[in-house]
Amino acid sequence: MERMVSLGMPSAGRAAGIPVRRWQQGGKWFAYGEHAIFSRMEGQGETLLLLHGFPTASWDWNRVWSPLCASHRVLVADMLGFGFSDKPPDYPYSIVDQADLHEGWLEALGVDSVHLLAHDYGNSVAQELLARDQEGGLPFRIRSACFLNGALFPEVHQPLLIQKLLCGRMGSLISRGLTRRMFDYNFSRLFGHHTQPTRRELACFWQLLEYNNGRGILHRLIHYMDERRCHRNRWVNALQQAKQPLRLISGTDDPVSGLAMADRYRQLVPRPDVVALEGVGHYPHFENPVQVFEAVRDFHARL
């Protein structure tokens, strides 16, 4: 039975978060092959793994971090090519490889069971992990998965023009030529009309993107859109065959994976559990962290 909850935006929706510098100072690095991966771990209780989106980083979660850590042991990493992690210029970036990264990290930490909370690019990583769980190929058990806006179903994804250009023949030129003004314009389009990022917040997102020459590899990272089409059946089947409880928390004003994506979720996923956040765009956990936390807390309370 479908659950559809429509939530307005309270005045307290834009809760204070953790500044980028403090976020970095509170982190640790681990090795993935020859590369250094930035991570944060905090809290006690059942393990909750956060998976961030493109082209941003783990800092996306800074506004829900403290509330989540009050009830869970929360883990998050900047995936390879993102944020404070290494960004090798000629690496064959892929969703499958990012899933390998997380699988190995959790195994090394001795995690035996985990809840997933994913956004955007991280949704695909979560879908791959769910597929591996169903195949009995993980060294830990996935207890639940909660998704924020992202292309769970590539057939209804509506990428921005800049994303299409980055995927095209001129992608490397577009990537290297990306300016702060272009970034601010395109990134702001992903947010709701009343939840727009401030200039300071945009500067933080830009700082994380530029760190370690991140602009130079955007055209390599964004080929996850092709990977989603290639693995579409495997990753959609992972949702349809999941034995774990699933929930979608969807900002309705998202122009790339909002209403159409939520509708497709209701059509294809058995017993769809959908929380709709009205007036919120593609980054619900940043735009309205209070209601995202409440939706996650309610989801976990019912497990």
Side-chain angles (χ1 to χ4, degrees):
M1 179 177 179
E2 176 183 344
R3 283 175 50 86
M4 176 71 176
V5 183
S6 183
L7 302 175
M9 184 180 65
S11 59
R14 296 300 287 270
I18 302 171
V20 171
R21 181 176 296 181
R22 278 183 50 207
W23 186 260
Q24 184 183 23
Q25 291 171 345
K28 298 179 180 179
W29 276 259
F30 66 89
Y32 180 60
E34 300 177 351
H35 304 293
I37 304 298
F38 173 82
S39 67
R40 283 181 63 106
M41 296 178 280
E42 191 176 333
Q44 294 183 340
E46 295 180 347
T47 302
L48 173 64
L49 177 66
L50 310 182
L51 298 161
H52 68 75
F54 171 93
T56 48
S58 63
W59 184 71
D60 295 355
W61 301 102
N62 78 91
R63 288 179 168 170
V64 292
W65 181 258
S66 294
L68 291 174
C69 289
S71 57
H72 290 81
R73 179 195 186 198
V74 186
L75 311 179
V76 70
D78 285 350
M79 295 188 228
L80 187 63
F82 295 84
F84 295 121
S85 290
D86 283 356
K87 299 173 179 176
D90 299 318
Y91 193 84
Y93 294 99
S94 74
I95 294 293
V96 171
D97 186 62
Q98 305 285 14
D100 289 344
L101 183 156
H102 284 91
E103 180 181 338
W105 181 36
L106 267 61
E107 183 177 16
L109 291 173
V111 172
D112 56 11
S113 67
V114 64
H115 300 274
L116 305 180
L117 175 56
H119 170 243
D120 186 72
Y121 184 94
N123 284 356
S124 298
V125 177
Q127 286 172 280
E128 172 60 23
L129 290 173
L130 280 171
R132 295 180 187 187
D133 180 69
Q134 291 163 13
E135 294 165 349
L138 289 180
F140 50 83
R141 182 167 60 97
I142 297 176
R143 297 196 58 197
S144 72
C146 193
F147 302 96
L148 303 180
N149 293 62
L152 295 165
F153 311 99
E155 63 269 23
V156 290
H157 183 228
Q158 299 176 311
L160 300 178
L161 176 60
I162 187 71
Q163 293 175 295
K164 295 177 182 178
L165 293 174
L166 282 169
C167 266
R169 286 176 147 187
M170 305 293 286
S172 62
L173 293 177
I174 300 296
S175 182
R176 291 193 297 270
L178 183 70
T179 65
R180 168 71 190 278
R181 183 175 181 180
M182 291 167 58
F183 172 79
D184 286 1
Y185 169 74
N186 285 283
F187 194 65
S188 296
R189 290 180 62 195
L190 298 173
F191 289 69
H193 182 71
H194 297 292
T195 57
Q196 286 286 302
T198 65
R199 285 198 59 79
R200 173 177 285 187
E201 290 163 359
L202 287 169
C204 292
F205 285 115
W206 177 252
Q207 173 189 342
L208 289 161
L209 176 65
E210 277 211 306
Y211 190 89
N212 276 347
N213 190 35
R215 272 189 301 166
I217 62 167
L218 286 176
H219 65 295
R220 294 186 179 276
L221 289 173
I222 203 167
H223 281 288
Y224 72 88
M225 294 203 302
D226 296 329
E227 201 176 358
R228 280 172 171 167
R229 290 188 287 270
C230 178
H231 295 292
R232 190 266 179 196
N233 289 342
R234 171 178 173 82
W235 292 347
V236 171
N237 285 343
L239 300 177
Q240 294 176 321
Q241 297 174 15
K243 303 302 182 184
Q244 303 90 340
L246 306 179
R247 167 170 279 191
L248 173 65
I249 303 171
S250 176
T252 61
D253 283 10
D254 176 4
V256 299
S257 53
L259 290 173
M261 198 66 62
D263 287 344
R264 192 68 168 159
Y265 187 91
R266 296 185 195 102
Q267 293 169 4
L268 296 183
V269 175
R271 301 174 301 282
D273 179 355
V274 180
V275 176
L277 302 182
E278 294 182 354
V280 175
H282 187 69
Y283 278 79
H285 48 315
F286 196 85
E287 298 175 60
N288 201 325
V290 169
Q291 291 189 334
V292 168
F293 169 70
E294 290 173 349
V296 173
R297 181 189 60 191
D298 171 67
F299 174 63
H300 286 159
R302 295 191 295 106
L303 296 179

